[in-house]
């Protein structure tokens, strides 16, 4: 996880980016009640028909999951969603879509000035600059379509925990000492899904979270 001014960038992957507090939904005032660190935004690219269909499935199943697990003991279903629109956010940097693909510069003038201390930062950023922003920010490409999904914050994933064994040593000790109980609750969660004719299809350490 990376602390940012005004927000917390939790991570990214093939699914998109995760940020807390969530980003705002335009013209949806009811989403303001989720603007706290108890909730997250999962920002996902929905450029293709397949990506859009996947999101539609997640929203539909989220409605069922809220009924079978109303207190959020086992799942973190979608609570609200909207098309993402470009907005200023301390954890988001926009790609310039007209740059060559090998640049993918993660470049904005204001952030480049801040990171390099230069009044006139180069429009061809250094590898160190690219790496720094890529690792510590949610990077989105202007002109592409994204969906903003708002969910409860469900804690760190098993993958995140074991990727940083030094920082998370107490949590890892808890997991190893309570492995049978954790597996019991994982199996119970899967049973609830299967009982309601829902298949997860992507069970892995990155999708299993623990919150203390």
């Amino acid at each position: 996880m990376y602390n940012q001014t005004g927000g917390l960038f939790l991570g990214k992957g093939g699914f998109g980016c995760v940020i807390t507090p969530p980003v705002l939904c335009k013209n949806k005032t009811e989403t303001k009640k989720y603007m706290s660190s108890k909730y997250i935004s999962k920002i996902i690219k929905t450029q293709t028909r397949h990506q859009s269909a996947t999101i539609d499935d997640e929203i539909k199943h989220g409605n069922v999951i809220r009924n079978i697990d109303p207190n959020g003991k086992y799942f973190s279903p979608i609570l609200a969603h909207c098309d993402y629109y470009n907005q200023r956010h301390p954890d988001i940097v926009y790609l310039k879509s007209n740059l060559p693909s090998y640049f993918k510069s993660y470049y904005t003038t204001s952030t480049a000035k801040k990171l390099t201390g230069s009044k006139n930062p180069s429009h061809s950023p250094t590898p160190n600059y690219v790496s720094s922003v890529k690792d510590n920010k949610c990077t989105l490409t202007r002109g592409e379509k994204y969906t903003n999904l708002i969910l409860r914050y469900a804690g760190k994933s098993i993958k995140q925990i074991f990727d940083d064994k030094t920082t998370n040593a107490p949590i890892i000790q808890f997991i190893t000492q309570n492995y049978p109980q954790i597996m019991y609750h994982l199996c119970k969660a899967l049973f609830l899904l299967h009982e309601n004719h829902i298949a997860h299809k992507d069970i892995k350490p990155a999708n299993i979270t623990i919150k203390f």
Side-chain angles (χ1 to χ4, degrees), residues 135-204:
D135 290 342
N136 293 279
K137 298 280 186 179
C138 176
T139 52
L140 306 179
T141 304
R142 290 192 184 278
E144 293 190 348
K145 184 181 177 183
Y146 297 89
T147 298
N148 175 26
L149 307 177
I150 299 177
L151 310 88
R152 288 189 187 93
Y153 174 58
K156 288 185 178 182
S157 72
I158 297 292
K159 182 180 185 303
Q160 282 179 311
I161 291 169
F162 279 87
D163 279 349
D164 188 355
K165 294 183 175 65
T166 302
T167 303
N168 298 312
I171 303 176
I172 292 172
Q173 183 179 15
F174 174 86
I175 292 172
T176 53
Q177 289 176 346
N178 295 276
Y179 185 77
Q181 293 93 329
I182 292 171
M183 288 303 301
Y184 167 80
H185 286 291
L186 177 61
C187 291
K188 188 170 182 180
L190 288 174
F191 174 77
L192 286 173
L193 289 181
H194 296 167
E195 191 177 39
N196 286 273
H197 311 290
I198 298 173
H200 191 287
K201 299 190 294 185
D202 195 21
I203 299 167
K204 58 187 180 183

Side-chain angles (χ1 to χ4, degrees), residues 4-129:
Q4 306 292 344
T5 303
L8 189 67
F9 168 63
L10 300 178
K12 69 177 79 175
F15 58 85
C17 298
V18 178
I19 292 172
T20 186
V23 297
L24 290 170
C25 279
K26 193 174 186 178
N27 300 326
K28 286 196 174 184
T29 55
E30 71 274 11
T31 61
K32 289 184 177 179
K33 64 184 176 183
Y34 301 123
M35 296 299 117
S36 79
S37 58
K38 293 181 180 179
Y39 303 95
I40 63 170
S41 271
K42 188 161 73 167
I43 304 171
I44 300 179
K45 183 186 289 188
T46 48
Q47 200 75 10
T48 68
R49 184 177 299 177
H50 172 72
Q51 289 166 332
S52 297
T54 300
I55 297 302
D56 290 342
D57 281 346
E58 191 169 348
I59 292 168
K60 180 181 70 175
H61 293 145
N63 294 331
V64 176
I65 289 168
R66 284 201 302 273
N67 290 326
I68 64 176
D69 184 29
N71 297 320
K73 181 177 181 179
Y74 294 113
F75 307 106
S76 179
I78 296 167
L79 302 173
H81 62 94
C82 58
D83 289 338
Y84 178 81
Y85 69 100
N86 292 347
Q87 55 190 282
R88 293 176 63 86
H89 192 283
D91 298 334
I92 297 173
V93 171
Y94 294 98
L95 296 167
K96 286 188 173 181
S97 57
N98 59 340
L99 289 178
S101 59
Y102 57 82
F103 260 130
K104 290 296 182 184
S105 70
Y106 306 98
Y107 173 83
T108 61
T109 301
S110 59
T111 49
K113 285 180 180 178
K114 188 183 295 183
L115 289 177
T116 64
S118 170
K119 293 182 180 179
N120 297 296
S122 168
H123 284 264
S124 299
T126 64
N128 287 341
Y129 171 76

